[in-house]
Amino acid sequence: MNRISRFDIWQYFTMLKIFYGFLFLLAYLIFSPYAQSASKFAIYFYNPETNINNFVSLKIEFDTYLSEFGSYQLQPFSDRSTFEKFISEKTDGIFILSSWHYKNLKDKMQVNPQLVGVSKGTSTHKKVLTGKISAANSEPPSMEKGGNIASASTEDYTTNILKEMLHKDVFEQCKILTVPKDIDALMSVGFGMATFALTTEYSLTKLSTVNPKLFKMLKPIALSENKLMPIVASPRDINEDIKKLIDIVQKMATTQEGEKLLQMLGLDTWKPLNEQENKYLNQ
């Protein structure tokens, strides 16, 4: 039987280090916002309303799709401050962001809204805060007593929308529990991991067919005003590449691959904004 020498072991682990180092470098080149090629026009993406837990997969899928039309790529971000800092002076692409985020940025950046997302035939949605009722009490627990609020949105967005919905900080004693999807937020309340759930109204309605027993145990506490779906914005000075990129995004629903990408964003299609939608964004 051949004996394994210390040199063989050292060589094996050295090769492992080189291999994992290569994987790390490859992931960095694919994913890092600072490694973007200057020759490519990009879609800069950040949405605090959704919790996308696999940005590498999202980027690979988008880049593959966009490569069919030219030198375009997706640049996703998971952090709001990094996104805002990175795109503050960008003129080499377009931006996909929440309408709430756009309203916060419009006075800081020279951007114009171009498209709005559509889901289930509408470009708007409402957020609903729900709590679980018990057999002994038909009212959900008081938020002033604390508890977890499950949400698929970022903590920053969740806090802001709660302030708007409740008009007071009664939730200050609560902790935000970030979950992957709306359905997870609702199930968290059902399993006792959270006391409240912040979701879209559509997700709560969908629960009535997915889990009618849990649906009957949940009671709405507050409902938001209509919010626009995510939007596509562009620099105010646009060139032919940016116009083409907007057109590519607008026509995503016309292809099977594009529809798959839209589903990853929680949308069915994109459409140009109408007068009322533009007015909402500029209020």
Side-chain angles (χ1 to χ4, degrees):
M1 181 181 293
N2 294 329
R3 298 180 64 182
I4 301 176
S5 68
R6 289 183 179 180
F7 176 77
D8 291 330
I9 296 173
W10 175 84
Q11 190 177 44
Y12 172 75
F13 281 108
T14 300
M15 291 177 65
L16 275 182
K17 287 180 181 180
I18 294 172
F19 175 71
Y20 285 116
F22 172 77
L23 288 182
F24 176 82
L25 178 62
L26 180 63
Y28 176 83
L29 291 173
I30 292 174
F31 187 59
S32 171
Y34 304 103
Q36 179 187 312
S37 169
S39 64
K40 287 190 175 183
F41 277 74
I43 299 174
Y44 299 101
F45 171 81
Y46 173 70
N47 187 1
E49 293 189 52
T50 58
N51 184 16
I52 296 175
N53 53 18
N54 194 340
F55 284 106
V56 173
S57 176
L58 182 69
K59 177 173 173 56
I60 291 173
E61 294 282 352
F62 256 92
D63 286 0
T64 301
Y65 179 75
L66 293 172
S67 66
E68 299 177 11
F69 304 96
S71 187
Y72 304 114
Q73 66 177 352
L74 177 76
Q75 187 58 69
F77 292 79
S78 59
D79 178 72
R80 177 181 174 182
S81 60
T82 303
F83 173 76
E84 291 181 0
K85 182 179 179 180
F86 191 74
I87 69 167
S88 58
E89 297 180 357
K90 284 292 179 182
T91 58
D92 61 349
I94 60 178
F95 319 106
I96 295 180
L97 66 167
S98 75
S99 59
W100 170 82
H101 198 184
Y102 173 84
K103 287 166 73 75
N104 281 273
L105 283 177
K106 62 184 175 66
D107 295 327
K108 303 175 186 177
M109 294 177 56
Q110 299 294 309
V111 292
N112 284 331
Q114 300 288 345
L115 307 171
V116 63
V118 177
S119 178
K120 309 300 181 292
T122 179
S123 62
T124 63
H125 68 282
K126 289 183 178 181
K127 291 287 187 177
V128 59
L129 178 69
T130 55
K132 186 179 179 182
I133 60 176
S134 64
N137 193 348
S138 61
E139 294 298 322
S142 170
M143 302 192 79
E144 295 176 344
K145 295 181 179 180
N148 290 333
I149 304 173
S151 172
S153 304
T154 65
E155 186 172 343
D156 183 32
Y157 176 83
T158 300
T159 301
N160 277 271
I161 198 72
L162 286 172
K163 286 180 179 179
E164 179 186 313
M165 292 168 66
L166 299 170
H167 306 294
K168 50 186 177 180
D169 296 340
V170 295
F171 58 90
E172 284 188 339
Q173 302 302 317
C174 299
K175 295 181 179 179
I176 308 298
L177 175 65
T178 303
V179 296
K181 297 179 181 180
D182 273 2
I183 188 64
D184 299 312
L186 296 166
M187 296 300 288
S188 295
V189 177
F191 289 126
M193 298 171 62
T195 315
F196 311 97
L198 180 69
T199 65
T200 62
E201 189 178 29
Y202 171 78
S203 295
L204 181 61
T205 302
K206 187 177 179 180
L207 183 70
S208 64
T209 57
V210 176
N211 192 331
K213 184 177 179 180
L214 175 58
F215 176 77
K216 291 178 180 179
M217 298 168 64
L218 299 179
K219 185 171 182 178
I221 299 171
L223 187 66
S224 76
E225 297 178 353
N226 272 326
K227 307 290 182 184
L228 274 186
M229 293 289 186
I231 67 163
V232 173
S234 71
R236 290 185 181 171
D237 296 326
I238 61 176
N239 56 31
E240 290 304 315
D241 277 294
I242 291 178
K243 288 180 181 178
K244 183 180 177 182
L245 196 49
I246 293 170
D247 185 62
I248 291 168
V249 171
Q250 185 175 349
K251 294 177 179 177
M252 285 175 67
T254 62
T255 67
Q256 188 174 355
E257 295 81 3
E259 283 185 333
K260 179 181 176 182
L261 294 176
L262 285 166
Q263 289 173 6
M264 294 177 76
L265 301 180
L267 300 172
D268 296 329
T269 189
W270 298 97
K271 76 175 187 68
L273 290 102
N274 59 35
E275 184 178 348
Q276 185 178 0
E277 291 160 347
N278 268 304
K279 184 178 179 181
Y280 169 84
L281 288 173
N282 290 291
Q283 286 176 341

